Amino acid sequence: MEIFKYMEQYDYEQLVFCQDKQSGLKAIIAIHDTTLGPALGGTRMWTYASEEEAIEDALRLARGMTYKNAAAGLNLGGGKTVIIGDPRKDKSEELFRAFGRYIQGLNGRYITAEDVGTTVEDMDLIHEETNYVTGISPAFGSSGNPSPVTAYGVYRGMKAAAKEAFGSDSLEGKVVAVQGVGNVAYSLCKHLHEEGAQLIVSDINKDAVRRAVEDFHAKAVDPNDIYGVECDIYAPCALGATINDVTIPQFKAKVIAGSANNQLRDTKHGDMIHEMGIVYAPDYVINAGGVINVADELYGYNSERALKKVEGIYNNIARVIEIAKRDNIPTYKAADRLAEERIERMRNSRSQFLQNGHHILSRKS
Ligand SMILES: NC(=O)c1ccc[n+]([C@@H]2O[C@H](COP(=O)([O-])OP(=O)(O)OC[C@H]3O[C@@H](n4cnc5c(N)ncnc54)[C@H](O)[C@@H]3O)[C@@H](O)[C@H]2O)c1
Ligand SMILES: CC(C)C[C@H](N)C(=O)O
């Protein structure tokens, strides 16, 4: 991989390699764009097959956070970390504290939080070394686990997409096929069940499936069968790239709305589902609830204020659909336009000043 060439292509600002022999830490912090503010994005811990795969994941996810934060109206740029390791075996206090010191060394250019493979407890350890971490325990006056809030945002965004597809935002009686019933999707299923939706679920983890079947009367299907089930809405809530050449011909759903990051394998797949008339709620717009929630900590966390902002994901998805219809483009392009235009507006309006003079954390009461 030609790292500088890749960084130049998507205009990345910085890539930081962190190595600590004592704790075994091997981490990569990618900072994509800080036009809107410090880069906020989670830390993923994963067993990558190669260092190149880890670098690519960090870069790709960091850029996604730039778009997510911009489209959500946050004054934050985009970044992400990957820690190379098995979250079931390789975690330790030393490792997360060493990582915390690296974050501190960036002096606020990057702020972290949870992502796949990391938890509130891990954030608390990082917090021992730096204040540039969010999603820490409510005991510190913070917001804790972002997953239920992400789920609430996905639920709100799904309703907005349903309004476009079915003429009503009620999900009562709608059949929703949920792929992956982990942290976010379990809470999403709860909202859907309470509204009277019928659930079809799949997960490679049998216990997760059993819990959804028992708690929400969901019907379980084999992981490979979820794409082709008869349903109104497909909710991808596991890993990315599940909208691809193989799955698209199987889709029966009229709406795609789920929490997974990077749902389209390639942009051409966004074009394909658009041509099929499927209403696609762009991933980084609908799944912004978690980051909106943790970002509120930077102002002194207030859950009521944060939830109100997360509720706004309904309007954000409606706005993206409106732009898509107005400009006759797929929704994924409309979302990119929304994010890029905001970043450009801010870049231009700031260019007259050397810097805006204060860090976002200074507003914390
Ligand atoms: N947690 C958040 O606040 C948040 C915020 C934004 C985006 N996301 C994204 O949402 C997705 C889910 O996040 P999470 O925190 O719930 O993760 P999680 O690990 O708790 O849940 C993911 C679930 O998907 C299952 N899974 C994996 N591969 C599968 C497959 N092929 N078929 C079916 N199930 C499969 C796993 O067994 C697991 O139960 C991820 O893509 C994550 O990046 C999460
Ligand atoms: C900051 C975190 C809550 C970010 C979350 N992992 C996401 O992908 O949006």
Side-chain angles (χ1 to χ4, degrees):
M1 180 190 194
E2 292 186 75
I3 295 180
F4 277 114
K5 200 167 165 193
Y6 189 99
M7 287 178 76
E8 201 179 342
Q9 186 183 357
Y10 295 108
D11 209 7
Y12 285 89
E13 290 179 10
Q14 194 173 4
L15 195 58
V16 184
F17 290 83
C18 316
Q19 189 282 133
D20 181 66
K21 199 171 168 185
Q22 201 72 24
S23 65
L25 174 75
K26 285 190 176 55
I28 301 158
I29 303 171
I31 298 179
H32 176 242
D33 188 291
T34 58
T35 305
L36 294 180
L40 172 56
T43 294
R44 179 167 294 195
M45 188 165 185
W46 196 251
T47 49
Y48 291 95
S50 65
E51 287 177 9
E52 188 164 85
E53 197 188 282
I55 296 168
E56 263 183 42
D57 207 29
L59 288 167
R60 208 173 40 88
L61 290 163
R63 184 163 171 260
M65 290 310 298
T66 297
Y67 280 76
K68 188 181 301 195
N69 294 339
L74 299 172
N75 292 315
L76 291 163
K80 202 98 172 185
T81 298
V82 304
I83 295 180
I84 302 173
D86 186 338
R88 288 164 304 182
K89 293 195 309 226
D90 298 331
K91 287 187 179 181
S92 67
E93 179 182 357
E94 309 88 89
L95 182 133
F96 283 107
R97 291 188 66 160
F99 176 49
R101 290 192 291 276
Y102 276 99
I103 297 177
Q104 180 63 22
L106 288 168
N107 200 26
R109 271 178 59 66
Y110 170 68
I111 302 167
T112 201
E114 293 87 348
D115 195 69
V116 174
T118 57
T119 62
V120 175
E121 291 71 34
D122 303 331
M123 297 308 123
D124 287 348
L125 291 173
I126 294 169
H127 185 225
E128 294 293 327
E129 304 286 344
T130 182
N131 280 331
Y132 300 121
V133 52
T134 56
I136 47 183
S137 289
F140 295 104
S142 300
S143 66
N145 177 9
S147 301
V149 189
T150 300
Y152 182 57
V154 173
Y155 166 67
R156 295 281 302 160
M158 188 183 283
K159 285 173 84 66
K163 181 137 187 3
E164 176 63 17
F166 310 117
S168 157
D169 69 8
S170 169
L171 298 173
E172 190 178 357
K174 292 281 177 283
V175 180
V176 187
V178 182
Q179 181 187 41
V181 263
N183 288 320
V184 175
Y186 180 82
S187 295
L188 173 65
C189 287
K190 189 164 190 293
H191 289 295
L192 296 173
H193 177 64
E194 281 168 5
E195 189 163 331
Q198 294 171 41
L199 298 170
I200 302 175
V201 298
S202 79
D203 200 296
I204 50 173
N205 176 342
K206 289 195 169 47
D207 290 336
V209 171
R210 198 172 309 122
R211 194 167 66 140
V213 169
E214 280 171 13
D215 295 356
F216 310 124
H217 313 300
K219 179 182 161 194
V221 296
D222 188 80
N224 291 323
D225 295 339
I226 194 79
Y227 310 107
V229 293
E230 288 292 343
C231 65
D232 300 297
I233 299 168
Y234 165 55
C237 299
L239 299 180
T242 67
I243 304 174
N244 57 48
D245 289 335
V246 176
T247 59
I248 289 174
Q250 302 176 47
F251 287 147
K252 311 273 192 317
K254 292 271 177 296
V255 169
I256 299 180
S259 74
N261 278 315
N262 302 323
Q263 293 171 22
L264 303 172
R265 179 173 292 279
D266 199 348
T267 51
K268 74 169 183 186
H269 300 113
D271 300 327
M272 285 162 73
I273 54 176
H274 173 68
E275 277 152 27
M276 288 161 73
I278 294 174
V279 178
Y280 170 58
D283 43 18
Y284 64 75
V285 181
I286 197 168
N287 74 14
V291 74
I292 293 172
N293 195 48
V294 300
D296 198 81
E297 288 180 29
L298 304 173
Y299 298 92
Y301 185 61
N302 177 312
S303 72
E304 222 171 282
R305 178 177 61 202
L307 276 183
K308 206 162 173 48
K309 282 191 211 154
V310 173
E311 255 176 50
I313 289 178
Y314 184 108
N315 289 340
N316 247 12
I317 291 290
R319 172 99 182 100
V320 165
I321 292 171
E322 189 186 296
I323 295 172
K325 286 204 289 192
R326 186 195 67 199
D327 299 350
N328 198 20
I329 52 173
T331 50
Y332 82 88
K333 277 194 184 149
D336 284 0
R337 207 166 270 186
L338 191 74
E340 283 164 5
E341 284 177 4
R342 178 158 183 254
I343 294 168
E344 276 322 297
R345 278 200 309 275
M346 291 306 125
R347 202 193 307 278
N348 295 336
S349 73
R350 273 193 190 172
S351 61
Q352 318 153 44
F353 303 103
L354 280 176
Q355 58 178 43
N356 75 352
H358 58 249
H359 194 278
I360 193 169
L361 285 180
S362 67
R363 292 176 217 171
K364 195 167 176 174
S365 54

